[in-house]
Amino acid sequence: MTVHFIGAGPGAADLITVRGRELISRSPVCLYAGSLVPEAMLAWCPAGARIIDTAPMTLDQIEAEFIDADKKNLDVARLHSGDVSVWSAMGEQLRRLKRLNIPYTITPGVPAFAGSAAVLQQELTLPEVAQSLVLTRMPGRASSMPKGETLEAFAKTGATLAVHLSIHALSQVVEQLIPHMGMHCPVAIVYRATWPDEKIIRGTLGTVEALVAESPMERTALIIVGKVLADEDFRESALYDTDYKRRYRL
């Protein structure tokens, strides 16, 4: 028996790895985050599978399902939205599985920022504009931010910022970023990237609050901020230059 943690991607049911899909199809138990993972993803489950929505459950209740499956020697597909390496609450589940001596595997998924970039048809790093991408969030009920991990600190670097789980605090995001990135810094908000009802709002730090007020959204919206969103005059990479001596090409 093994618990398989699987990144289910940003929304579209076909944005899942081949490995993830195969693991789902072989697991007679499936635990999924129903508030974020589309029900269409459950079509990969085998006939007769025990399918459990963990959205209303506590960690103790989820652990009990792992224990029950272990006693019955049934593999579990544990689906989390996006990629399981960030903001998935996988860490505390792994810790409990280790204590229980229950084996597990981890299969990555398409993260929200990648899904959003695809929807925007945008590269998030451009030569001499931004070569770093910061994934961060505002403090929330589930967890606070460690000292030093502030929007102001990240904004000073000039990196592209992907601010997750923070659309409810948009005014605070704007207030903290403007002094360092400027009123005219481009912003894109992607709501439910790759879902049928996805929505995109483009603006600047000076205009984005008014734009969102006209088209309210909540929860599953990613805020991307950075010069890369509007820069069309960036220098081309030397990677494909005829005089560039390379070992590898992307």
Short mmCIF file of all heavy atoms in Angstrom, two decimals, residues 78 80-81 83-93:
data_model
loop_
_atom_site.label_atom_id
_atom_site.label_comp_id
_atom_site.label_asym_id
_atom_site.label_seq_id
_atom_site.Cartn_x
_atom_site.Cartn_y
_atom_site.Cartn_z
N ARG A 78 -3.72 10.85 -3.67
CA ARG A 78 -4.02 12.07 -2.90
C ARG A 78 -3.79 13.27 -3.80
O ARG A 78 -2.66 13.66 -4.08
CB ARG A 78 -3.11 12.14 -1.66
CG ARG A 78 -3.31 13.40 -0.81
CD ARG A 78 -4.70 13.44 -0.22
NE ARG A 78 -4.85 14.53 0.74
CZ ARG A 78 -5.66 15.57 0.56
NH1 ARG A 78 -6.36 15.69 -0.56
NH2 ARG A 78 -5.78 16.48 1.49
N HIS A 80 -3.84 17.13 -5.00
CA HIS A 80 -3.80 18.53 -4.58
C HIS A 80 -3.73 19.40 -5.83
O HIS A 80 -3.13 19.01 -6.83
CB HIS A 80 -2.57 18.80 -3.72
CG HIS A 80 -2.68 18.27 -2.33
ND1 HIS A 80 -3.36 18.93 -1.33
CD2 HIS A 80 -2.18 17.15 -1.76
CE1 HIS A 80 -3.27 18.23 -0.20
NE2 HIS A 80 -2.57 17.14 -0.44
N SER A 81 -4.29 20.58 -5.77
CA SER A 81 -4.28 21.47 -6.93
C SER A 81 -2.87 21.98 -7.20
O SER A 81 -2.01 22.02 -6.31
CB SER A 81 -5.22 22.65 -6.71
OG SER A 81 -4.79 23.43 -5.61
N ASP A 83 0.87 22.35 -8.02
CA ASP A 83 1.99 21.47 -7.71
C ASP A 83 2.07 21.29 -6.21
O ASP A 83 1.87 22.25 -5.44
CB ASP A 83 3.29 22.05 -8.23
CG ASP A 83 4.48 21.17 -7.89
OD1 ASP A 83 4.51 20.02 -8.34
OD2 ASP A 83 5.37 21.63 -7.15
N VAL A 84 2.38 20.08 -5.77
CA VAL A 84 2.33 19.76 -4.34
C VAL A 84 3.48 20.37 -3.54
O VAL A 84 3.48 20.31 -2.31
CB VAL A 84 2.31 18.24 -4.12
CG1 VAL A 84 0.99 17.65 -4.54
CG2 VAL A 84 3.47 17.57 -4.86
N SER A 85 4.45 20.98 -4.21
CA SER A 85 5.62 21.49 -3.49
C SER A 85 5.38 22.84 -2.82
O SER A 85 6.19 23.28 -1.99
CB SER A 85 6.83 21.59 -4.43
OG SER A 85 6.62 22.56 -5.44
N VAL A 86 4.28 23.52 -3.18
CA VAL A 86 4.02 24.84 -2.58
C VAL A 86 2.56 24.95 -2.14
O VAL A 86 1.63 24.61 -2.88
CB VAL A 86 4.34 25.99 -3.56
CG1 VAL A 86 5.85 26.13 -3.73
CG2 VAL A 86 3.68 25.78 -4.92
N TRP A 87 2.37 25.42 -0.92
CA TRP A 87 1.05 25.72 -0.36
C TRP A 87 0.04 24.58 -0.54
O TRP A 87 -1.14 24.81 -0.83
CB TRP A 87 0.48 27.02 -0.96
CG TRP A 87 1.38 28.18 -0.69
CD1 TRP A 87 1.75 28.67 0.52
CD2 TRP A 87 2.04 28.99 -1.66
NE1 TRP A 87 2.61 29.73 0.39
CE2 TRP A 87 2.81 29.95 -0.95
CE3 TRP A 87 2.08 29.00 -3.05
CZ2 TRP A 87 3.58 30.91 -1.59
CZ3 TRP A 87 2.85 29.95 -3.68
CH2 TRP A 87 3.58 30.90 -2.96
N SER A 88 0.49 23.37 -0.36
CA SER A 88 -0.40 22.22 -0.56
C SER A 88 -0.80 21.56 0.76
O SER A 88 -1.66 20.68 0.77
CB SER A 88 0.29 21.17 -1.43
OG SER A 88 1.41 20.62 -0.75
N ALA A 89 -0.17 21.95 1.87
CA ALA A 89 -0.37 21.29 3.16
C ALA A 89 0.04 19.82 3.09
O ALA A 89 -0.44 19.01 3.88
CB ALA A 89 -1.82 21.43 3.63
N MET A 90 0.91 19.51 2.14
CA MET A 90 1.42 18.15 2.04
C MET A 90 2.39 17.83 3.18
O MET A 90 2.45 16.70 3.66
CB MET A 90 2.11 17.93 0.69
CG MET A 90 2.69 16.53 0.51
SD MET A 90 3.47 16.27 -1.11
CE MET A 90 4.92 17.33 -0.95
N GLY A 91 3.16 18.83 3.59
CA GLY A 91 4.20 18.61 4.59
C GLY A 91 3.71 17.94 5.85
O GLY A 91 4.32 16.99 6.35
N GLU A 92 2.59 18.42 6.39
CA GLU A 92 2.09 17.84 7.64
C GLU A 92 1.52 16.45 7.43
O GLU A 92 1.53 15.61 8.33
CB GLU A 92 1.04 18.76 8.28
CG GLU A 92 -0.14 19.11 7.41
CD GLU A 92 -0.16 20.58 7.04
OE1 GLU A 92 0.90 21.12 6.67
OE2 GLU A 92 -1.23 21.20 7.14
N GLN A 93 1.02 16.19 6.21
CA GLN A 93 0.54 14.83 5.92
C GLN A 93 1.71 13.85 5.81
O GLN A 93 1.64 12.72 6.30
CB GLN A 93 -0.27 14.84 4.62
CG GLN A 93 -1.56 15.67 4.71
CD GLN A 93 -2.24 15.78 3.37
OE1 GLN A 93 -2.87 14.83 2.91
NE2 GLN A 93 -2.13 16.94 2.74
#
